[in-house]
Amino acid sequence: MARQKEFNQDIVLGKAIECFWQRGFSATSMKHLEAATALTPGSIYNSFGSKDGLFLACLDHYNETVIGARVKQYLLPAEAQYLNAPLAGIEAFIETAFDPGPAELCLGCLMVNSSVELGPHEESVRLRSKTAMKKVVKGMQYALGQAQAIGQLGNDIDCRQRAQSLLLLFNGMLVQWRGSPDKKWLKHAMHSVKDLLH
Amino acid sequence: MARQKEFNQDIVLGKAIECFWQRGFSATSMKHLEAATALTPGSIYNSFGSKDGLFLACLDHYNETVIGARVKQYLLPAEAQYLNAPLAGIEAFIETAFDPGPAELCLGCLMVNSSVELGPHEESVRLRSKTAMKKVVKGMQYALGQAQAIGQLGNDIDCRQRAQSLLLLFNGMLVQWRGSPDKKWLKHAMHSVKDLLH
DNA sequence: ACTATTCTAGAATGATCACTCTAAAATAGC
DNA sequence: GCTATTTTAGAGTGATCATTCTAGAATAGT
C-alpha cells in the first residue's frame, strides 16, 4: 500500500544478535546497533518499537535460527550422520558450541548470557530462556532414547533426568568459557560429558 | 595525618556488592551505588577511583567474604559438622547457594554473573573469576579426598576431575536459577549432584 | 592554635543514553 | 500522474551517564 522496507529483517536481526551476543544487552547501545545493522534510528524504532523490542526479536530469532537449528542438526533424526550415533550427536552439539566467534571472542549462548544478565528482572527474557532450554532438553532426551533403542545406552537410565544433567553441565561449560578463552579445560569438561553418556 | 574516613570500607563494599549482584555491572549506575552506600561521589572516587575500581574492589571482597567463607565453612576441615561427612558438606555448599536473596531475587554468584557479563572484554574480571573458581575446585577436591580417606568414596575416582565436573554442574545450576525463580528443577539438579558423589 | 593534608557535600561537567521529530523519498492503488 | 501511506535520513530531544570541581569540614603533627 505504500513504500516498502529497504532491509531484510532476518539479516538485520542477525547483525543485532552479534552485537547483543558480544556485549550483552545493557552494554550495547543504539549507536552500536545502528552501525551494525546500517539502519537509522527511525527505521529501527519503526520496525521494532524500542531497544527492548529489538532485543526480544533477537532472542526469538536466535531461538529459531541458532538453537533450533543446532538441535535439529545434532540431536533430532533429520541428520543422517548421527542416525546411528546419537551419543556422538550430543557430543558434537556440545563441543561445537565452543568454536570461537568473530574477533576470537567467547560468545557462549546468547540465551544463557541474557538469562544471567536480565533473568531476575525481566519476565520476557525468562520466558524465552525457559522455552529454549526446554527445546534443548527435549532434543537431548530424544537422542538418549535413540541410543537406548539401538543398545548404545543402558535401559536403566532415565533419559529425561540425564538430559537435564547434561544441560546443566553444558550451561556450566558455557559460563566457564566466557571466563577462560584458553580451551585447556574443555578436554576435561568433555570427559565429564562422556561420563554422562554411559 | 589528616581527616579520617567516616565510613567503614567493608560495609560499603557489602552494600555495593548487593547492587552489582542484583543488576550486574552495566545496569548499576553511580546513583544506585551512592544511594546504597550512602556515600557522595567525591568519597567514592576518592576511595575507589572509578566505578570500575569500585567494582573490582567488590569482586575481591566478594571473593574473600562470600566464596572464601563458604569454601571454608562447607568444604575445608574447619567445620566440625562436616568432618566426618565431607560429601554432605559438598551438597550443602551447593544447595545453600539457592536460598533466595533480598527481594526474592535469584542472585546466583556475583563472580559467575560478572564473568558472563564482562569476561570476554575484561581481563581483570576474568582473572578474579579464575582465582575464585580455582578456590572452589580445590575445596571440593579436598572434600572428595577426605571422603575417599574415610571410605565414603571409591578410590578409583580422580578427585580433581570430579571436582571440576561438580563445579561445571554447579555453575550450570546457578545459571538455571537466574532464569527460573521456581525451584522445582532444584530437586532434580541435586540428584545430578549426588550422582557425582558416588 | 596553627598548618598541612585529607575527606565530604553537592552542584556542575560534557558525553552519551534511548528515543522523537521533521521533511524528503518511495511505492501501491486509483 | 495523483494521492495516501509508509519508510528513510539525520538532526534534535531531555534524561541520565560517569566523572570532576569547589568549597568547607575534620583531624594529625607541630
Side-chain angles (χ1 to χ4, degrees), chain A residues 30-31 34 41 45:
Chain A
M30 288 303 296
K31 286 267 159 66
E34 290 162 26
Y45 281 87

mmCIF file of all heavy atoms in Angstrom, chain A residues 30-31 34 41 45, chain C residues 15-22, chain D residues 10-16:
data_model
loop_
_atom_site.group_PDB
_atom_site.id
_atom_site.type_symbol
_atom_site.label_atom_id
_atom_site.label_comp_id
_atom_site.label_asym_id
_atom_site.label_seq_id
_atom_site.Cartn_x
_atom_site.Cartn_y
_atom_site.Cartn_z
ATOM 1 N N MET A 30 22.309 1.916 21.195
ATOM 2 C CA MET A 30 21.623 2.085 19.920
ATOM 3 C C MET A 30 22.619 2.448 18.822
ATOM 4 O O MET A 30 22.457 2.034 17.672
ATOM 5 C CB MET A 30 20.541 3.157 20.042
ATOM 6 C CG MET A 30 19.330 2.728 20.849
ATOM 7 S SD MET A 30 18.532 1.240 20.198
ATOM 8 C CE MET A 30 17.981 1.825 18.595
ATOM 9 N N LYS A 31 23.642 3.196 19.178
ATOM 10 C CA LYS A 31 24.690 3.535 18.202
ATOM 11 C C LYS A 31 25.333 2.265 17.653
ATOM 12 O O LYS A 31 25.525 2.135 16.448
ATOM 13 C CB LYS A 31 25.755 4.426 18.871
ATOM 14 C CG LYS A 31 25.294 5.852 19.099
ATOM 15 C CD LYS A 31 25.703 6.754 17.926
ATOM 16 C CE LYS A 31 24.861 8.017 17.863
ATOM 17 N NZ LYS A 31 25.092 8.887 19.023
ATOM 18 N N GLU A 34 22.800 0.644 15.370
ATOM 19 C CA GLU A 34 22.652 1.369 14.111
ATOM 20 C C GLU A 34 23.824 1.073 13.192
ATOM 21 O O GLU A 34 23.649 0.841 11.984
ATOM 22 C CB GLU A 34 22.562 2.876 14.381
ATOM 23 C CG GLU A 34 21.261 3.303 15.053
ATOM 24 C CD GLU A 34 21.377 4.677 15.694
ATOM 25 O OE1 GLU A 34 22.214 5.479 15.245
ATOM 26 O OE2 GLU A 34 20.651 4.946 16.666
ATOM 27 N N PRO A 41 17.956 5.400 13.188
ATOM 28 C CA PRO A 41 17.062 5.226 14.351
ATOM 29 C C PRO A 41 15.605 5.077 13.932
ATOM 30 O O PRO A 41 14.891 4.199 14.433
ATOM 31 C CB PRO A 41 17.272 6.506 15.156
ATOM 32 C CG PRO A 41 18.570 7.059 14.723
ATOM 33 C CD PRO A 41 18.889 6.535 13.373
ATOM 34 N N TYR A 45 13.166 2.040 15.125
ATOM 35 C CA TYR A 45 12.007 2.245 16.001
ATOM 36 C C TYR A 45 10.706 1.986 15.259
ATOM 37 O O TYR A 45 9.719 1.569 15.860
ATOM 38 C CB TYR A 45 12.048 3.642 16.613
ATOM 39 C CG TYR A 45 13.017 3.706 17.760
ATOM 40 C CD1 TYR A 45 14.363 3.975 17.541
ATOM 41 C CD2 TYR A 45 12.611 3.428 19.059
ATOM 42 C CE1 TYR A 45 15.270 3.988 18.590
ATOM 43 C CE2 TYR A 45 13.498 3.435 20.114
ATOM 44 C CZ TYR A 45 14.837 3.720 19.871
ATOM 45 O OH TYR A 45 15.730 3.721 20.905
ATOM 46 P P DA C 15 32.207 16.711 25.238
ATOM 47 O OP1 DA C 15 33.464 16.582 24.486
ATOM 48 O OP2 DA C 15 31.074 17.507 24.683
ATOM 49 O "O5'" DA C 15 31.670 15.240 25.548
ATOM 50 C "C5'" DA C 15 32.330 14.459 26.542
ATOM 51 C "C4'" DA C 15 31.646 13.108 26.665
ATOM 52 O "O4'" DA C 15 30.488 13.236 27.539
ATOM 53 C "C3'" DA C 15 31.126 12.549 25.338
ATOM 54 O "O3'" DA C 15 31.429 11.162 25.277
ATOM 55 C "C2'" DA C 15 29.632 12.836 25.381
ATOM 56 C "C1'" DA C 15 29.323 12.812 26.882
ATOM 57 N N9 DA C 15 28.254 13.719 27.281
ATOM 58 C C8 DA C 15 28.128 15.040 26.948
ATOM 59 N N7 DA C 15 27.057 15.616 27.465
ATOM 60 C C5 DA C 15 26.448 14.589 28.183
ATOM 61 C C6 DA C 15 25.276 14.559 28.966
ATOM 62 N N6 DA C 15 24.477 15.604 29.163
ATOM 63 N N1 DA C 15 24.953 13.389 29.554
ATOM 64 C C2 DA C 15 25.763 12.312 29.360
ATOM 65 N N3 DA C 15 26.891 12.230 28.649
ATOM 66 C C4 DA C 15 27.176 13.428 28.080
ATOM 67 P P DT C 16 31.160 10.349 23.953
ATOM 68 O OP1 DT C 16 32.253 9.370 23.833
ATOM 69 O OP2 DT C 16 30.819 11.278 22.840
ATOM 70 O "O5'" DT C 16 29.835 9.548 24.329
ATOM 71 C "C5'" DT C 16 29.780 8.826 25.555
ATOM 72 C "C4'" DT C 16 28.333 8.519 25.894
ATOM 73 O "O4'" DT C 16 27.632 9.747 26.193
ATOM 74 C "C3'" DT C 16 27.552 7.858 24.736
ATOM 75 O "O3'" DT C 16 27.118 6.593 25.186
ATOM 76 C "C2'" DT C 16 26.398 8.830 24.493
ATOM 77 C "C1'" DT C 16 26.294 9.555 25.824
ATOM 78 N N1 DT C 16 25.638 10.886 25.794
ATOM 79 C C2 DT C 16 24.516 11.089 26.562
ATOM 80 O O2 DT C 16 24.023 10.231 27.268
ATOM 81 N N3 DT C 16 23.981 12.360 26.471
ATOM 82 C C4 DT C 16 24.457 13.408 25.704
ATOM 83 O O4 DT C 16 23.892 14.497 25.708
ATOM 84 C C5 DT C 16 25.636 13.123 24.923
ATOM 85 C C7 DT C 16 26.230 14.192 24.054
ATOM 86 C C6 DT C 16 26.169 11.890 25.006
ATOM 87 P P DC C 17 26.376 5.594 24.212
ATOM 88 O OP1 DC C 17 27.033 4.287 24.405
ATOM 89 O OP2 DC C 17 26.289 6.211 22.869
ATOM 90 O "O5'" DC C 17 24.915 5.515 24.818
ATOM 91 C "C5'" DC C 17 24.761 5.318 26.231
ATOM 92 C "C4'" DC C 17 23.321 5.610 26.645
ATOM 93 O "O4'" DC C 17 23.157 7.032 26.839
ATOM 94 C "C3'" DC C 17 22.281 5.268 25.589
ATOM 95 O "O3'" DC C 17 21.947 3.897 25.717
ATOM 96 C "C2'" DC C 17 21.123 6.161 25.995
ATOM 97 C "C1'" DC C 17 21.816 7.396 26.575
ATOM 98 N N1 DC C 17 21.872 8.579 25.666
ATOM 99 C C2 DC C 17 20.867 9.558 25.743
ATOM 100 O O2 DC C 17 19.952 9.393 26.558
ATOM 101 N N3 DC C 17 20.931 10.628 24.926
ATOM 102 C C4 DC C 17 21.948 10.747 24.063
ATOM 103 N N4 DC C 17 21.979 11.827 23.291
ATOM 104 C C5 DC C 17 22.974 9.757 23.966
ATOM 105 C C6 DC C 17 22.887 8.697 24.777
ATOM 106 P P DA C 18 21.347 3.147 24.444
ATOM 107 O OP1 DA C 18 21.583 1.708 24.666
ATOM 108 O OP2 DA C 18 21.872 3.808 23.233
ATOM 109 O "O5'" DA C 18 19.782 3.448 24.532
ATOM 110 C "C5'" DA C 18 19.078 3.184 25.724
ATOM 111 C "C4'" DA C 18 17.774 3.962 25.715
ATOM 112 O "O4'" DA C 18 18.071 5.357 25.469
ATOM 113 C "C3'" DA C 18 16.789 3.539 24.623
ATOM 114 O "O3'" DA C 18 15.472 3.560 25.168
ATOM 115 C "C2'" DA C 18 16.990 4.591 23.544
ATOM 116 C "C1'" DA C 18 17.339 5.834 24.360
ATOM 117 N N9 DA C 18 18.183 6.781 23.610
ATOM 118 C C8 DA C 18 19.354 6.507 22.955
ATOM 119 N N7 DA C 18 19.893 7.543 22.367
ATOM 120 C C5 DA C 18 19.006 8.584 22.648
ATOM 121 C C6 DA C 18 19.008 9.954 22.300
ATOM 122 N N6 DA C 18 19.959 10.525 21.551
ATOM 123 N N1 DA C 18 17.974 10.706 22.749
ATOM 124 C C2 DA C 18 17.025 10.115 23.489
ATOM 125 N N3 DA C 18 16.919 8.841 23.879
ATOM 126 C C4 DA C 18 17.956 8.122 23.420
ATOM 127 P P DC C 19 14.233 3.038 24.235
ATOM 128 O OP1 DC C 19 13.141 2.629 25.135
ATOM 129 O OP2 DC C 19 14.761 2.111 23.229
ATOM 130 O "O5'" DC C 19 13.760 4.386 23.505
ATOM 131 C "C5'" DC C 19 13.478 5.526 24.302
ATOM 132 C "C4'" DC C 19 13.306 6.749 23.431
ATOM 133 O "O4'" DC C 19 14.554 7.136 22.822
ATOM 134 C "C3'" DC C 19 12.305 6.621 22.267
ATOM 135 O "O3'" DC C 19 11.157 7.392 22.599
ATOM 136 C "C2'" DC C 19 13.066 7.194 21.061
ATOM 137 C "C1'" DC C 19 14.212 7.943 21.719
ATOM 138 N N1 DC C 19 15.418 8.127 20.872
ATOM 139 C C2 DC C 19 15.716 9.404 20.382
ATOM 140 O O2 DC C 19 14.965 10.341 20.656
ATOM 141 N N3 DC C 19 16.826 9.575 19.607
ATOM 142 C C4 DC C 19 17.616 8.544 19.328
ATOM 143 N N4 DC C 19 18.676 8.788 18.576
ATOM 144 C C5 DC C 19 17.328 7.234 19.811
ATOM 145 C C6 DC C 19 16.235 7.065 20.572
ATOM 146 P P DT C 20 9.906 7.433 21.585
ATOM 147 O OP1 DT C 20 8.695 7.461 22.429
ATOM 148 O OP2 DT C 20 10.088 6.413 20.552
ATOM 149 O "O5'" DT C 20 10.061 8.870 20.882
ATOM 150 C "C5'" DT C 20 10.270 10.012 21.697
ATOM 151 C "C4'" DT C 20 10.353 11.254 20.812
ATOM 152 O "O4'" DT C 20 11.623 11.269 20.101
ATOM 153 C "C3'" DT C 20 9.276 11.362 19.731
ATOM 154 O "O3'" DT C 20 8.857 12.725 19.698
ATOM 155 C "C2'" DT C 20 10.010 10.957 18.456
ATOM 156 C "C1'" DT C 20 11.393 11.516 18.728
ATOM 157 N N1 DT C 20 12.519 10.882 17.993
ATOM 158 C C2 DT C 20 13.393 11.681 17.282
ATOM 159 O O2 DT C 20 13.278 12.891 17.211
ATOM 160 N N3 DT C 20 14.418 10.998 16.656
ATOM 161 C C4 DT C 20 14.640 9.635 16.664
ATOM 162 O O4 DT C 20 15.581 9.138 16.062
ATOM 163 C C5 DT C 20 13.682 8.865 17.419
ATOM 164 C C7 DT C 20 13.834 7.383 17.484
ATOM 165 C C6 DT C 20 12.679 9.512 18.040
ATOM 166 P P DC C 21 7.467 13.108 19.016
ATOM 167 O OP1 DC C 21 6.548 13.592 20.049
ATOM 168 O OP2 DC C 21 7.050 12.022 18.107
ATOM 169 O "O5'" DC C 21 7.941 14.347 18.137
ATOM 170 C "C5'" DC C 21 9.262 14.840 18.340
ATOM 171 C "C4'" DC C 21 9.736 15.654 17.140
ATOM 172 O "O4'" DC C 21 10.843 14.966 16.509
ATOM 173 C "C3'" DC C 21 8.700 15.885 16.035
ATOM 174 O "O3'" DC C 21 8.805 17.220 15.598
ATOM 175 C "C2'" DC C 21 9.083 14.892 14.955
ATOM 176 C "C1'" DC C 21 10.597 14.751 15.142
ATOM 177 N N1 DC C 21 11.120 13.391 14.827
ATOM 178 C C2 DC C 21 12.310 13.260 14.095
ATOM 179 O O2 DC C 21 12.908 14.264 13.706
ATOM 180 N N3 DC C 21 12.772 12.005 13.827
ATOM 181 C C4 DC C 21 12.101 10.932 14.266
ATOM 182 N N4 DC C 21 12.610 9.736 13.977
ATOM 183 C C5 DC C 21 10.902 11.060 15.011
ATOM 184 C C6 DC C 21 10.442 12.288 15.269
ATOM 185 P P DT C 22 7.674 17.803 14.592
ATOM 186 O OP1 DT C 22 7.338 19.139 15.093
ATOM 187 O OP2 DT C 22 6.626 16.797 14.371
ATOM 188 O "O5'" DT C 22 8.511 17.968 13.248
ATOM 189 C "C5'" DT C 22 9.824 18.515 13.300
ATOM 190 C "C4'" DT C 22 10.423 18.524 11.906
ATOM 191 O "O4'" DT C 22 11.087 17.262 11.666
ATOM 192 C "C3'" DT C 22 9.402 18.698 10.770
ATOM 193 O "O3'" DT C 22 9.973 19.474 9.746
ATOM 194 C "C2'" DT C 22 9.168 17.268 10.313
ATOM 195 C "C1'" DT C 22 10.560 16.659 10.501
ATOM 196 N N1 DT C 22 10.566 15.192 10.736
ATOM 197 C C2 DT C 22 11.637 14.467 10.283
ATOM 198 O O2 DT C 22 12.581 14.948 9.708
ATOM 199 N N3 DT C 22 11.556 13.112 10.543
ATOM 200 C C4 DT C 22 10.526 12.439 11.187
ATOM 201 O O4 DT C 22 10.563 11.235 11.351
ATOM 202 C C5 DT C 22 9.443 13.274 11.632
ATOM 203 C C7 DT C 22 8.277 12.647 12.334
ATOM 204 C C6 DT C 22 9.509 14.593 11.389
ATOM 205 P P DG D 10 21.983 10.795 5.954
ATOM 206 O OP1 DG D 10 22.729 11.571 4.942
ATOM 207 O OP2 DG D 10 22.520 9.530 6.478
ATOM 208 O "O5'" DG D 10 21.641 11.763 7.164
ATOM 209 C "C5'" DG D 10 20.812 12.884 6.930
ATOM 210 C "C4'" DG D 10 20.433 13.500 8.251
ATOM 211 O "O4'" DG D 10 19.284 12.840 8.813
ATOM 212 C "C3'" DG D 10 21.522 13.404 9.335
ATOM 213 O "O3'" DG D 10 21.491 14.600 10.072
ATOM 214 C "C2'" DG D 10 21.034 12.241 10.180
ATOM 215 C "C1'" DG D 10 19.563 12.603 10.170
ATOM 216 N N9 DG D 10 18.659 11.609 10.709
ATOM 217 C C8 DG D 10 18.848 10.260 10.834
ATOM 218 N N7 DG D 10 17.831 9.638 11.388
ATOM 219 C C5 DG D 10 16.919 10.648 11.646
ATOM 220 C C6 DG D 10 15.638 10.600 12.243
ATOM 221 O O6 DG D 10 15.031 9.625 12.673
ATOM 222 N N1 DG D 10 15.060 11.865 12.313
ATOM 223 C C2 DG D 10 15.639 13.017 11.865
ATOM 224 N N2 DG D 10 14.923 14.134 12.008
ATOM 225 N N3 DG D 10 16.829 13.076 11.306
ATOM 226 C C4 DG D 10 17.416 11.856 11.233
ATOM 227 P P DA D 11 22.848 15.300 10.571
ATOM 228 O OP1 DA D 11 23.640 15.654 9.356
ATOM 229 O OP2 DA D 11 23.452 14.463 11.630
ATOM 230 O "O5'" DA D 11 22.277 16.636 11.230
ATOM 231 C "C5'" DA D 11 21.267 17.363 10.550
ATOM 232 C "C4'" DA D 11 20.149 17.728 11.508
ATOM 233 O "O4'" DA D 11 19.372 16.544 11.845
ATOM 234 C "C3'" DA D 11 20.621 18.329 12.834
ATOM 235 O "O3'" DA D 11 19.815 19.443 13.165
ATOM 236 C "C2'" DA D 11 20.443 17.178 13.824
ATOM 237 C "C1'" DA D 11 19.238 16.453 13.248
ATOM 238 N N9 DA D 11 19.163 15.038 13.594
ATOM 239 C C8 DA D 11 20.122 14.073 13.364
ATOM 240 N N7 DA D 11 19.779 12.879 13.783
ATOM 241 C C5 DA D 11 18.521 13.057 14.328
ATOM 242 C C6 DA D 11 17.621 12.169 14.942
ATOM 243 N N6 DA D 11 17.863 10.870 15.110
ATOM 244 N N1 DA D 11 16.441 12.673 15.371
ATOM 245 C C2 DA D 11 16.197 13.974 15.200
ATOM 246 N N3 DA D 11 16.962 14.908 14.635
ATOM 247 C C4 DA D 11 18.126 14.376 14.215
ATOM 248 P P DG D 12 20.080 20.257 14.515
ATOM 249 O OP1 DG D 12 19.669 21.646 14.268
ATOM 250 O OP2 DG D 12 21.450 19.933 14.968
ATOM 251 O "O5'" DG D 12 19.045 19.624 15.540
ATOM 252 C "C5'" DG D 12 17.651 19.608 15.220
ATOM 253 C "C4'" DG D 12 16.882 19.053 16.398
ATOM 254 O "O4'" DG D 12 17.047 17.618 16.431
ATOM 255 C "C3'" DG D 12 17.350 19.569 17.762
ATOM 256 O "O3'" DG D 12 16.217 19.875 18.551
ATOM 257 C "C2'" DG D 12 18.134 18.404 18.336
ATOM 258 C "C1'" DG D 12 17.384 17.215 17.743
ATOM 259 N N9 DG D 12 18.173 15.992 17.642
ATOM 260 C C8 DG D 12 19.438 15.835 17.120
ATOM 261 N N7 DG D 12 19.877 14.609 17.175
ATOM 262 C C5 DG D 12 18.842 13.904 17.784
ATOM 263 C C6 DG D 12 18.745 12.526 18.121
ATOM 264 O O6 DG D 12 19.570 11.622 17.942
ATOM 265 N N1 DG D 12 17.522 12.239 18.731
ATOM 266 C C2 DG D 12 16.548 13.150 18.982
ATOM 267 N N2 DG D 12 15.440 12.687 19.575
ATOM 268 N N3 DG D 12 16.615 14.439 18.676
ATOM 269 C C4 DG D 12 17.793 14.741 18.080
ATOM 270 P P DT D 13 16.425 20.633 19.970
ATOM 271 O OP1 DT D 13 15.516 21.791 19.982
ATOM 272 O OP2 DT D 13 17.863 20.794 20.257
ATOM 273 O "O5'" DT D 13 15.845 19.546 20.976
ATOM 274 C "C5'" DT D 13 14.528 19.000 20.759
ATOM 275 C "C4'" DT D 13 14.251 17.904 21.776
ATOM 276 O "O4'" DT D 13 14.876 16.684 21.336
ATOM 277 C "C3'" DT D 13 14.842 18.168 23.150
ATOM 278 O "O3'" DT D 13 13.890 18.852 23.940
ATOM 279 C "C2'" DT D 13 15.080 16.761 23.701
ATOM 280 C "C1'" DT D 13 15.189 15.879 22.460
ATOM 281 N N1 DT D 13 16.533 15.269 22.225
ATOM 282 C C2 DT D 13 16.716 13.935 22.468
ATOM 283 O O2 DT D 13 15.841 13.215 22.889
ATOM 284 N N3 DT D 13 17.990 13.475 22.202
ATOM 285 C C4 DT D 13 19.060 14.208 21.735
ATOM 286 O O4 DT D 13 20.161 13.685 21.540
ATOM 287 C C5 DT D 13 18.798 15.595 21.517
ATOM 288 C C7 DT D 13 19.896 16.478 21.005
ATOM 289 C C6 DT D 13 17.556 16.067 21.765
ATOM 290 P P DG D 14 14.408 19.812 25.114
ATOM 291 O OP1 DG D 14 13.430 20.905 25.246
ATOM 292 O OP2 DG D 14 15.842 20.115 24.893
ATOM 293 O "O5'" DG D 14 14.302 18.868 26.391
ATOM 294 C "C5'" DG D 14 13.121 18.116 26.634
ATOM 295 C "C4'" DG D 14 13.459 16.850 27.387
ATOM 296 O "O4'" DG D 14 14.473 16.098 26.678
ATOM 297 C "C3'" DG D 14 14.031 17.089 28.800
ATOM 298 O "O3'" DG D 14 13.402 16.170 29.682
ATOM 299 C "C2'" DG D 14 15.529 16.833 28.631
ATOM 300 C "C1'" DG D 14 15.535 15.760 27.548
ATOM 301 N N9 DG D 14 16.761 15.700 26.762
ATOM 302 C C8 DG D 14 17.452 16.743 26.209
ATOM 303 N N7 DG D 14 18.525 16.366 25.543
ATOM 304 C C5 DG D 14 18.525 14.987 25.666
ATOM 305 C C6 DG D 14 19.434 14.020 25.153
ATOM 306 O O6 DG D 14 20.446 14.200 24.473
ATOM 307 N N1 DG D 14 19.060 12.732 25.514
ATOM 308 C C2 DG D 14 17.970 12.418 26.262
ATOM 309 N N2 DG D 14 17.772 11.123 26.513
ATOM 310 N N3 DG D 14 17.113 13.300 26.743
ATOM 311 C C4 DG D 14 17.456 14.563 26.407
ATOM 312 P P DA D 15 13.846 16.129 31.233
ATOM 313 O OP1 DA D 15 12.624 15.982 32.035
ATOM 314 O OP2 DA D 15 14.792 17.252 31.518
ATOM 315 O "O5'" DA D 15 14.657 14.759 31.300
ATOM 316 C "C5'" DA D 15 14.109 13.602 30.639
ATOM 317 C "C4'" DA D 15 15.023 12.411 30.891
ATOM 318 O "O4'" DA D 15 16.155 12.477 29.987
ATOM 319 C "C3'" DA D 15 15.600 12.373 32.303
ATOM 320 O "O3'" DA D 15 15.557 11.030 32.774
ATOM 321 C "C2'" DA D 15 17.028 12.882 32.140
ATOM 322 C "C1'" DA D 15 17.369 12.455 30.715
ATOM 323 N N9 DA D 15 18.295 13.361 30.028
ATOM 324 C C8 DA D 15 18.217 14.723 29.949
ATOM 325 N N7 DA D 15 19.194 15.268 29.266
ATOM 326 C C5 DA D 15 19.967 14.181 28.865
ATOM 327 C C6 DA D 15 21.141 14.083 28.103
ATOM 328 N N6 DA D 15 21.788 15.152 27.588
ATOM 329 N N1 DA D 15 21.652 12.854 27.889
ATOM 330 C C2 DA D 15 21.011 11.795 28.408
ATOM 331 N N3 DA D 15 19.900 11.751 29.140
ATOM 332 C C4 DA D 15 19.420 13.002 29.323
ATOM 333 P P DT D 16 15.931 10.696 34.292
ATOM 334 O OP1 DT D 16 15.017 9.641 34.752
ATOM 335 O OP2 DT D 16 16.101 11.950 35.058
ATOM 336 O "O5'" DT D 16 17.373 10.031 34.121
ATOM 337 C "C5'" DT D 16 17.559 8.992 33.163
ATOM 338 C "C4'" DT D 16 19.037 8.820 32.899
ATOM 339 O "O4'" DT D 16 19.549 9.991 32.217
ATOM 340 C "C3'" DT D 16 19.889 8.677 34.173
ATOM 341 O "O3'" DT D 16 20.574 7.448 34.091
ATOM 342 C "C2'" DT D 16 20.805 9.891 34.134
ATOM 343 C "C1'" DT D 16 20.876 10.160 32.642
ATOM 344 N N1 DT D 16 21.299 11.515 32.258
ATOM 345 C C2 DT D 16 22.396 11.665 31.441
ATOM 346 O O2 DT D 16 23.043 10.725 31.015
ATOM 347 N N3 DT D 16 22.708 12.960 31.117
ATOM 348 C C4 DT D 16 22.048 14.110 31.531
ATOM 349 O O4 DT D 16 22.424 15.222 31.175
ATOM 350 C C5 DT D 16 20.906 13.894 32.391
ATOM 351 C C7 DT D 16 20.114 15.069 32.895
ATOM 352 C C6 DT D 16 20.587 12.617 32.703
#
